[in-house]
Amino acid sequence: MKSIKQFIYLVFAVMFSYSYAQQTPASPQKEAISIKGATAYIGNGNQIENSIIVFENGKITYVGTDQSQAKGKVINAEGKNVYPGFIAPNSTLGLVEVDAVRASDDERELGKMLPHVRSIIAYNTESKLVESMRPNGVLMGQITPRGGRISGTSSIVQFDAWNWEDAIIKENDAVHVNWPSGFSRSGNWYDADRRYEQNKDYQKEVDELKTYFKSASVYKETSQEIDLAKRAMQGVFDGNKNLFIHVNGEKEIRDVISFQKEINFNNLTIVGGYQAHQLADELKEAGISVLIQRVHSVPNFEDDDYDLPYKLPKILHEAGVLVALEGSGDMERQNSRNLPFYAGTAVAYGLDKNEALKMITLNTAKILGIDDQVGSLEVGKDATLFISEGDALEMRGNKLMKAFIQGRDISLESHQTELYKRYSEKYENE
Protein backbone atom coordinates (compact mmCIF):
# COMPACT_ATOMS: atom_id res chain seq x y z
CA MET A 1 0.00 0.00 0.00
CA LYS A 2 2.81 2.39 0.88
CA SER A 3 4.52 1.80 -2.47
CA ILE A 4 1.24 2.50 -4.31
CA LYS A 5 0.84 5.82 -2.50
CA GLN A 6 4.43 6.77 -3.30
CA PHE A 7 3.80 5.97 -6.97
CA ILE A 8 0.66 8.13 -7.01
CA TYR A 9 2.54 11.03 -5.38
CA LEU A 10 5.28 10.70 -7.96
CA VAL A 11 2.78 10.73 -10.84
CA PHE A 12 1.12 13.89 -9.53
CA ALA A 13 4.51 15.53 -8.95
CA VAL A 14 5.56 14.80 -12.54
CA MET A 15 2.19 15.98 -13.93
CA PHE A 16 2.45 19.22 -11.96
CA SER A 17 6.06 19.81 -12.97
CA TYR A 18 5.09 19.61 -16.65
CA SER A 19 1.98 21.78 -16.35
CA TYR A 20 4.23 24.76 -16.99
CA ALA A 21 6.51 24.03 -19.94
CA GLN A 22 9.96 25.52 -20.00
CA GLN A 23 10.61 28.32 -22.45
CA THR A 24 11.82 27.09 -25.84
CA PRO A 25 15.56 27.75 -26.34
CA ALA A 26 16.19 30.83 -28.45
CA SER A 27 17.14 30.67 -32.12
CA PRO A 28 20.75 31.41 -33.16
CA GLN A 29 21.59 35.08 -33.70
CA LYS A 30 20.70 36.02 -37.29
CA GLU A 31 21.73 39.69 -37.47
CA ALA A 32 24.11 42.08 -35.76
CA ILE A 33 22.79 43.61 -32.54
CA SER A 34 23.97 46.88 -31.00
CA ILE A 35 23.21 48.00 -27.43
CA LYS A 36 23.44 51.77 -27.31
CA GLY A 37 23.65 54.34 -24.54
CA ALA A 38 23.95 52.12 -21.45
CA THR A 39 26.55 52.15 -18.72
CA ALA A 40 28.60 49.04 -19.50
CA TYR A 41 30.06 47.21 -16.53
CA ILE A 42 32.81 45.34 -18.32
CA GLY A 43 33.45 42.77 -15.58
CA ASN A 44 37.21 43.38 -15.42
CA GLY A 45 36.93 46.29 -13.00
CA ASN A 46 36.18 48.96 -15.61
CA GLN A 47 32.96 50.62 -16.74
CA ILE A 48 32.05 52.72 -19.77
CA GLU A 49 29.41 55.45 -19.75
CA ASN A 50 27.19 55.98 -22.80
CA SER A 51 28.60 52.82 -24.34
CA ILE A 52 28.01 50.99 -27.57
CA ILE A 53 28.26 47.18 -27.58
CA VAL A 54 28.01 45.27 -30.85
CA PHE A 55 27.83 41.50 -31.32
CA GLU A 56 27.46 39.25 -34.35
CA ASN A 57 27.21 35.47 -34.72
CA GLY A 58 27.21 35.12 -30.95
CA LYS A 59 30.50 37.00 -30.40
CA ILE A 60 31.20 40.53 -29.20
CA THR A 61 32.76 42.61 -32.01
CA TYR A 62 32.94 46.07 -30.46
CA VAL A 63 32.86 47.65 -26.98
CA GLY A 64 33.45 51.37 -26.60
CA THR A 65 31.94 54.82 -27.04
CA ASP A 66 32.09 55.31 -30.83
CA GLN A 67 28.39 55.44 -31.67
CA SER A 68 29.16 55.12 -35.39
CA GLN A 69 30.09 51.47 -34.77
CA ALA A 70 26.41 50.58 -34.29
CA LYS A 71 25.04 48.16 -36.85
CA GLY A 72 22.12 45.83 -37.35
CA LYS A 73 19.33 45.92 -34.79
CA VAL A 74 19.89 48.79 -32.33
CA ILE A 75 18.60 48.51 -28.76
CA ASN A 76 18.28 51.85 -27.00
CA ALA A 77 19.47 51.29 -23.43
CA GLU A 78 19.97 54.86 -22.26
CA GLY A 79 19.78 55.06 -18.48
CA LYS A 80 20.20 51.28 -18.22
CA ASN A 81 23.17 49.08 -17.28
CA VAL A 82 24.78 46.25 -19.25
CA TYR A 83 26.58 43.37 -17.51
CA PRO A 84 28.31 40.15 -18.53
CA GLY A 85 26.23 37.10 -17.60
CA PHE A 86 26.71 35.97 -14.00
CA ILE A 87 28.26 32.54 -13.37
CA ALA A 88 27.16 30.20 -10.54
CA PRO A 89 30.06 27.86 -9.62
CA ASN A 90 29.79 24.72 -7.49
CA SER A 91 26.09 24.38 -8.26
CA THR A 92 23.73 21.39 -8.35
CA LEU A 93 21.25 23.14 -10.65
CA GLY A 94 19.67 20.65 -13.04
CA LEU A 95 20.66 17.65 -10.91
CA VAL A 96 17.74 17.84 -8.46
CA GLU A 97 14.27 19.11 -9.25
CA VAL A 98 12.20 18.25 -6.16
CA ASP A 99 14.12 17.22 -3.03
CA ALA A 100 11.23 15.14 -1.74
CA VAL A 101 10.93 13.17 -5.00
CA ARG A 102 13.81 10.72 -5.04
CA ALA A 103 13.46 10.01 -8.75
CA SER A 104 14.30 13.65 -9.52
CA ASP A 105 17.45 13.66 -7.32
CA ASP A 106 20.62 12.78 -9.22
CA GLU A 107 23.32 14.79 -7.46
CA ARG A 108 25.35 11.91 -6.02
CA GLU A 109 26.35 8.28 -6.53
CA LEU A 110 27.14 5.52 -4.05
CA GLY A 111 30.81 5.11 -3.28
CA LYS A 112 33.82 6.99 -1.95
CA MET A 113 36.38 7.70 -4.67
CA LEU A 114 34.33 8.69 -7.72
CA PRO A 115 36.34 11.03 -9.99
CA HIS A 116 34.88 9.26 -13.04
CA VAL A 117 31.30 10.25 -12.17
CA ARG A 118 30.37 12.98 -14.66
CA SER A 119 27.65 15.37 -13.55
CA ILE A 120 26.95 16.59 -17.08
CA ILE A 121 25.17 13.44 -18.24
CA ALA A 122 22.60 13.89 -15.45
CA TYR A 123 22.07 17.61 -16.12
CA ASN A 124 18.44 18.41 -16.90
CA THR A 125 18.08 21.33 -19.30
CA GLU A 126 14.30 21.23 -18.77
CA SER A 127 14.64 22.09 -15.09
CA LYS A 128 12.27 24.81 -13.88
CA LEU A 129 14.91 25.87 -11.36
CA VAL A 130 17.50 26.45 -14.07
CA GLU A 131 15.01 28.57 -16.01
CA SER A 132 14.29 30.72 -12.96
CA MET A 133 17.96 31.81 -12.73
CA ARG A 134 17.86 33.83 -15.94
CA PRO A 135 15.60 36.72 -14.82
CA ASN A 136 18.28 37.63 -12.23
CA GLY A 137 21.14 37.55 -14.76
CA VAL A 138 22.56 34.16 -13.73
CA LEU A 139 23.14 32.72 -17.20
CA MET A 140 25.83 30.06 -16.64
CA GLY A 141 26.85 27.54 -14.00
CA GLN A 142 29.33 24.87 -13.00
CA ILE A 143 27.26 21.72 -12.48
CA THR A 144 28.88 19.84 -9.61
CA PRO A 145 28.22 16.41 -8.08
CA ARG A 146 28.03 15.83 -4.32
CA GLY A 147 28.90 13.06 -1.89
CA GLY A 148 31.82 10.69 -1.27
CA ARG A 149 35.42 11.65 -0.60
CA ILE A 150 35.89 12.43 -4.30
CA SER A 151 32.45 13.45 -5.58
CA GLY A 152 33.17 13.36 -9.30
CA THR A 153 33.80 15.66 -12.23
CA SER A 154 31.89 18.87 -12.93
CA SER A 155 31.12 20.61 -16.23
CA ILE A 156 30.21 24.20 -17.11
CA VAL A 157 27.00 25.02 -18.97
CA GLN A 158 24.93 27.91 -20.24
CA PHE A 159 21.27 28.08 -19.25
CA ASP A 160 19.51 28.06 -22.62
CA ALA A 161 19.76 24.68 -24.31
CA TRP A 162 17.77 21.77 -25.73
CA ASN A 163 19.98 19.14 -24.09
CA TRP A 164 23.19 18.80 -22.12
CA GLU A 165 25.30 18.51 -25.26
CA ASP A 166 24.01 21.91 -26.43
CA ALA A 167 24.51 23.42 -22.98
CA ILE A 168 28.22 22.68 -22.57
CA ILE A 169 30.69 25.54 -22.32
CA LYS A 170 33.47 23.36 -20.90
CA GLU A 171 33.07 19.63 -20.36
CA ASN A 172 34.74 17.82 -17.45
CA ASP A 173 36.42 20.96 -16.11
CA ALA A 174 37.29 19.87 -12.56
CA VAL A 175 37.47 17.03 -10.05
CA HIS A 176 35.85 17.75 -6.66
CA VAL A 177 37.27 16.50 -3.35
CA ASN A 178 35.61 16.70 0.07
CA TRP A 179 38.54 17.14 2.46
CA PRO A 180 38.20 15.28 5.80
CA SER A 181 37.05 17.41 8.71
CA GLY A 182 39.07 17.55 11.92
CA PHE A 183 35.93 18.07 13.97
CA SER A 184 32.26 17.14 13.90
CA ARG A 185 29.26 18.45 15.81
CA SER A 186 27.34 16.15 18.11
CA GLY A 187 23.57 16.01 18.42
CA ASN A 188 20.91 17.56 16.22
CA TRP A 189 20.94 21.10 14.83
CA TYR A 190 18.18 22.18 17.25
CA ASP A 191 20.00 20.95 20.38
CA ALA A 192 21.20 23.85 22.55
CA ASP A 193 24.10 21.83 23.98
CA ARG A 194 25.65 20.69 20.67
CA ARG A 195 29.44 20.46 20.91
CA TYR A 196 32.33 20.01 18.55
CA GLU A 197 34.09 16.69 18.86
CA GLN A 198 37.50 15.82 17.47
CA ASN A 199 37.60 13.44 14.52
CA LYS A 200 40.02 10.79 15.76
CA ASP A 201 40.33 9.33 12.27
CA TYR A 202 41.23 12.65 10.61
CA GLN A 203 44.87 11.85 9.87
CA LYS A 204 43.96 8.36 8.68
CA GLU A 205 41.43 9.83 6.23
CA VAL A 206 43.94 12.41 4.97
CA ASP A 207 46.58 9.71 4.45
CA GLU A 208 44.08 7.58 2.57
CA LEU A 209 43.35 10.51 0.23
CA LYS A 210 47.05 11.18 -0.33
CA THR A 211 47.67 7.52 -1.11
CA TYR A 212 44.87 7.55 -3.68
CA PHE A 213 46.28 10.66 -5.39
CA LYS A 214 49.82 9.22 -5.48
CA SER A 215 48.53 5.97 -6.91
CA ALA A 216 46.52 7.82 -9.56
CA SER A 217 49.51 9.99 -10.49
CA VAL A 218 51.54 6.94 -11.56
CA TYR A 219 48.66 5.09 -13.18
CA LYS A 220 49.47 3.66 -16.60
CA GLU A 221 46.63 2.34 -18.69
CA THR A 222 47.05 -0.94 -20.54
CA SER A 223 44.83 -2.85 -22.94
CA GLN A 224 44.40 -5.55 -20.30
CA GLU A 225 43.52 -3.24 -17.41
CA ILE A 226 41.56 0.03 -17.40
CA ASP A 227 40.69 1.85 -14.18
CA LEU A 228 38.05 4.44 -15.11
CA ALA A 229 38.41 6.31 -11.82
CA LYS A 230 42.16 6.74 -12.12
CA ARG A 231 41.85 7.55 -15.82
CA ALA A 232 39.53 10.43 -14.84
CA MET A 233 42.21 11.73 -12.46
CA GLN A 234 44.86 12.16 -15.15
CA GLY A 235 43.64 15.62 -16.14
CA VAL A 236 44.41 16.89 -12.63
CA PHE A 237 48.07 15.97 -13.03
CA ASP A 238 48.58 17.12 -16.63
CA GLY A 239 46.75 20.44 -16.10
CA ASN A 240 43.68 19.71 -18.24
CA LYS A 241 41.39 19.65 -15.20
CA ASN A 242 41.18 21.84 -12.14
CA LEU A 243 41.07 20.41 -8.64
CA PHE A 244 38.40 21.82 -6.32
CA ILE A 245 38.83 20.91 -2.64
CA HIS A 246 35.82 21.58 -0.42
CA VAL A 247 37.21 22.60 2.98
CA ASN A 248 36.49 25.20 5.68
CA GLY A 249 38.63 24.86 8.83
CA GLU A 250 41.97 26.60 9.37
CA LYS A 251 43.88 23.40 10.18
CA GLU A 252 42.32 21.59 7.25
CA ILE A 253 43.12 24.44 4.85
CA ARG A 254 46.72 24.42 6.09
CA ASP A 255 46.87 20.70 5.38
CA VAL A 256 45.48 21.30 1.88
CA ILE A 257 48.30 23.77 1.20
CA SER A 258 50.82 21.13 2.32
CA PHE A 259 49.00 18.56 0.19
CA GLN A 260 49.39 20.76 -2.87
CA LYS A 261 53.14 21.04 -2.33
CA GLU A 262 53.50 17.31 -1.72
CA ILE A 263 51.52 16.17 -4.76
CA ASN A 264 52.77 19.10 -6.89
CA PHE A 265 49.83 20.31 -8.97
CA ASN A 266 48.90 23.87 -9.85
CA ASN A 267 45.20 24.30 -10.66
CA LEU A 268 43.79 24.18 -7.13
CA THR A 269 40.76 26.02 -5.77
CA ILE A 270 39.38 25.90 -2.23
CA VAL A 271 35.58 25.76 -2.04
CA GLY A 272 33.91 27.10 1.12
CA GLY A 273 36.99 28.47 2.85
CA TYR A 274 35.20 29.74 5.94
CA GLN A 275 38.50 30.28 7.78
CA ALA A 276 40.56 31.05 4.69
CA HIS A 277 41.23 34.57 5.97
CA GLN A 278 43.41 33.04 8.70
CA LEU A 279 45.77 31.78 5.97
CA ALA A 280 45.33 34.46 3.31
CA ASP A 281 49.05 35.11 2.86
CA GLU A 282 49.83 31.40 2.50
CA LEU A 283 47.02 30.98 -0.05
CA LYS A 284 48.27 33.91 -2.10
CA GLU A 285 51.85 32.57 -2.05
CA ALA A 286 50.66 29.11 -3.13
CA GLY A 287 48.50 30.57 -5.92
CA ILE A 288 45.36 28.93 -4.54
CA SER A 289 42.06 30.61 -5.41
CA VAL A 290 38.95 30.53 -3.20
CA LEU A 291 35.26 30.08 -3.94
CA ILE A 292 33.80 31.64 -0.80
CA GLN A 293 30.82 29.98 0.84
CA ARG A 294 27.43 31.67 0.62
CA VAL A 295 27.77 35.26 1.86
CA HIS A 296 24.23 35.19 3.27
CA SER A 297 25.22 32.96 6.19
CA VAL A 298 25.54 33.25 9.94
CA PRO A 299 28.89 32.86 11.76
CA ASN A 300 29.91 29.28 12.51
CA PHE A 301 31.46 29.95 15.93
CA GLU A 302 30.48 32.00 18.96
CA ASP A 303 33.69 34.05 18.96
CA ASP A 304 33.53 34.94 15.24
CA ASP A 305 32.62 38.46 14.20
CA TYR A 306 28.89 38.64 13.58
CA ASP A 307 29.53 39.94 10.07
CA LEU A 308 32.41 37.63 9.11
CA PRO A 309 30.56 35.92 6.21
CA TYR A 310 29.63 39.35 4.80
CA LYS A 311 33.13 40.82 4.89
CA LEU A 312 35.15 37.69 4.05
CA PRO A 313 35.27 38.53 0.30
CA LYS A 314 36.83 41.92 1.08
CA ILE A 315 39.37 40.46 3.50
CA LEU A 316 40.62 37.86 1.04
CA HIS A 317 40.59 40.26 -1.90
CA GLU A 318 42.70 42.80 -0.01
CA ALA A 319 45.16 40.01 0.83
CA GLY A 320 45.65 39.39 -2.90
CA VAL A 321 43.77 36.07 -3.16
CA LEU A 322 41.75 35.38 -6.33
CA VAL A 323 38.18 35.18 -5.01
CA ALA A 324 34.78 34.28 -6.44
CA LEU A 325 31.40 33.65 -4.82
CA GLU A 326 29.37 30.44 -4.67
CA GLY A 327 26.06 29.57 -3.05
CA SER A 328 26.03 25.97 -1.84
CA GLY A 329 24.17 25.04 1.33
CA ASP A 330 20.52 24.76 2.35
CA MET A 331 18.12 25.24 -0.58
CA GLU A 332 21.16 25.96 -2.74
CA ARG A 333 19.45 25.46 -6.09
CA GLN A 334 16.61 27.86 -5.33
CA ASN A 335 19.02 30.36 -3.76
CA SER A 336 21.42 30.36 -6.71
CA ARG A 337 19.35 33.17 -8.22
CA ASN A 338 20.54 35.33 -5.31
CA LEU A 339 24.14 35.22 -6.53
CA PRO A 340 24.18 38.93 -7.54
CA PHE A 341 22.83 39.88 -4.11
CA TYR A 342 25.66 37.99 -2.40
CA ALA A 343 28.00 40.30 -4.30
CA GLY A 344 25.83 43.28 -3.32
CA THR A 345 26.09 42.34 0.35
CA ALA A 346 29.89 42.22 0.05
CA VAL A 347 29.73 45.76 -1.36
CA ALA A 348 27.68 46.88 1.64
CA TYR A 349 30.46 45.54 3.87
CA GLY A 350 33.28 47.46 2.25
CA LEU A 351 34.14 45.75 -1.04
CA ASP A 352 34.43 47.94 -4.16
CA LYS A 353 31.42 47.40 -6.45
CA ASN A 354 33.48 46.56 -9.53
CA GLU A 355 35.54 44.07 -7.52
CA ALA A 356 32.33 42.46 -6.25
CA LEU A 357 31.08 42.21 -9.83
CA LYS A 358 34.30 40.45 -10.82
CA MET A 359 33.61 37.84 -8.14
CA ILE A 360 30.54 36.62 -10.04
CA THR A 361 31.91 37.22 -13.57
CA LEU A 362 35.58 37.41 -14.60
CA ASN A 363 37.12 36.03 -11.39
CA THR A 364 34.77 33.05 -11.58
CA ALA A 365 35.61 32.55 -15.26
CA LYS A 366 39.34 32.60 -14.45
CA ILE A 367 38.94 30.04 -11.68
CA LEU A 368 36.88 27.80 -13.96
CA GLY A 369 39.28 28.23 -16.87
CA ILE A 370 36.76 29.80 -19.26
CA ASP A 371 37.85 33.45 -19.14
CA ASP A 372 38.81 33.31 -22.83
CA GLN A 373 35.10 32.77 -23.62
CA VAL A 374 33.02 34.55 -20.98
CA GLY A 375 33.21 36.65 -17.82
CA SER A 376 33.62 40.12 -19.30
CA LEU A 377 32.36 42.35 -22.11
CA GLU A 378 35.38 42.14 -24.40
CA VAL A 379 35.84 41.71 -28.14
CA GLY A 380 36.02 38.07 -29.19
CA LYS A 381 34.15 36.68 -26.18
CA ASP A 382 30.67 35.15 -26.20
CA ALA A 383 27.83 37.65 -26.28
CA THR A 384 26.43 36.31 -23.00
CA LEU A 385 25.17 39.45 -21.31
CA PHE A 386 22.08 41.29 -20.13
CA ILE A 387 20.56 44.74 -19.78
CA SER A 388 19.27 45.74 -16.34
CA GLU A 389 17.08 48.74 -15.58
CA GLY A 390 19.10 49.43 -12.42
CA ASP A 391 21.98 48.12 -10.32
CA ALA A 392 22.01 44.36 -10.89
CA LEU A 393 23.71 43.75 -7.53
CA GLU A 394 20.78 45.34 -5.69
CA MET A 395 17.42 43.60 -5.28
CA ARG A 396 15.26 46.50 -6.42
CA GLY A 397 17.56 47.44 -9.29
CA ASN A 398 17.99 43.94 -10.68
CA LYS A 399 15.22 44.12 -13.25
CA LEU A 400 16.23 42.68 -16.58
CA MET A 401 15.08 44.25 -19.81
CA LYS A 402 16.92 41.88 -22.19
CA ALA A 403 19.32 38.95 -21.90
CA PHE A 404 21.45 37.16 -24.47
CA ILE A 405 23.32 33.87 -24.31
CA GLN A 406 25.91 33.44 -27.07
CA GLY A 407 24.06 36.16 -28.97
CA ARG A 408 20.66 34.48 -28.71
CA ASP A 409 17.83 36.69 -27.44
CA ILE A 410 16.56 34.47 -24.62
CA SER A 411 13.21 34.48 -22.85
CA LEU A 412 13.10 35.91 -19.33
CA GLU A 413 9.78 34.23 -18.61
CA SER A 414 9.45 31.32 -16.20
CA HIS A 415 6.72 29.57 -14.24
CA GLN A 416 7.33 32.13 -11.50
CA THR A 417 6.85 35.16 -13.77
CA GLU A 418 3.71 33.53 -15.20
CA LEU A 419 2.26 33.12 -11.70
CA TYR A 420 3.28 36.69 -10.80
CA LYS A 421 1.42 38.07 -13.81
CA ARG A 422 -1.62 35.87 -13.21
CA TYR A 423 -2.11 36.99 -9.62
CA SER A 424 -1.21 40.60 -10.39
CA GLU A 425 -4.08 40.68 -12.86
CA LYS A 426 -6.37 39.03 -10.34
CA TYR A 427 -5.90 41.74 -7.74
CA GLU A 428 -5.84 44.56 -10.29
CA ASN A 429 -9.33 43.50 -11.41
CA GLU A 430 -10.79 43.48 -7.89
Side-chain angles (χ1 to χ4, degrees), residues 11 28 36 56 64 100 105 120 179 181-182 216 229 263 268 277 300 305 322 325 330-331 334 356 386:
V11 169
K36 182 178 180 181
E56 299 181 71
D105 186 336
I120 189 63
W179 193 262
S181 176
I263 304 297
L268 173 61
H277 61 294
N300 287 354
D305 291 348
L322 180 61
L325 306 182
D330 293 338
M331 296 182 66
Q334 296 88 331
F386 65 89

Side-chain angles (χ1 to χ4, degrees), residues 269-273 276 283 288-292 316 321-325 367:
T269 296
I270 282 176
V271 182
L283 291 171
I288 298 175
S289 53
V290 179
L291 285 178
I292 296 178
L316 288 176
V321 179
L322 180 61
V323 177
L325 306 182
I367 289 171

Side-chain angles (χ1 to χ4, degrees), residues 34-38 48-54 62 64-71 74 78:
S34 302
I35 301 174
K36 182 178 180 181
I48 301 174
E49 304 293 334
N50 194 28
S51 67
I52 182 80
I53 300 171
V54 184
Y62 179 80
T65 57
D66 184 356
Q67 303 296 315
S68 68
Q69 294 290 330
K71 59 164 64 172
V74 177
E78 291 183 11

Side-chain angles (χ1 to χ4, degrees), residues 230-349:
K230 290 181 179 177
R231 174 197 278 181
M233 290 289 294
Q234 299 315 298
V236 172
F237 304 110
D238 62 26
N240 290 322
K241 288 181 182 177
N242 295 327
L243 180 64
F244 283 62
I245 296 184
H246 299 239
V247 59
N248 283 296
E250 179 182 357
K251 171 180 168 48
E252 291 88 342
I253 294 173
R254 193 181 298 280
D255 288 343
V256 168
I257 296 173
S258 299
F259 174 67
Q260 182 208 30
K261 295 176 181 177
E262 183 177 344
I263 304 297
N264 191 28
F265 48 80
N266 297 318
N267 302 325
L268 173 61
T269 296
I270 282 176
V271 182
Y274 180 78
Q275 293 186 324
H277 61 294
Q278 305 283 10
L279 298 163
D281 292 338
E282 290 91 335
L283 291 171
K284 178 186 176 182
E285 183 180 352
I288 298 175
S289 53
V290 179
L291 285 178
I292 296 178
Q293 68 162 50
R294 186 187 302 175
V295 173
H296 290 178
S297 301
V298 297
N300 287 354
F301 304 103
E302 291 180 355
D303 56 350
D304 285 339
D305 291 348
Y306 76 93
D307 56 357
L308 177 60
Y310 308 147
K311 64 185 182 183
L312 187 57
K314 178 177 183 287
I315 295 171
L316 288 176
H317 166 69
E318 290 183 344
V321 179
L322 180 61
V323 177
L325 306 182
E326 61 103 9
S328 61
D330 293 338
M331 296 182 66
E332 65 180 72
R333 288 168 293 281
Q334 296 88 331
N335 282 319
S336 292
R337 71 185 67 132
N338 291 329
L339 182 66
F341 311 138
Y342 301 157
T345 297
V347 173
Y349 281 81

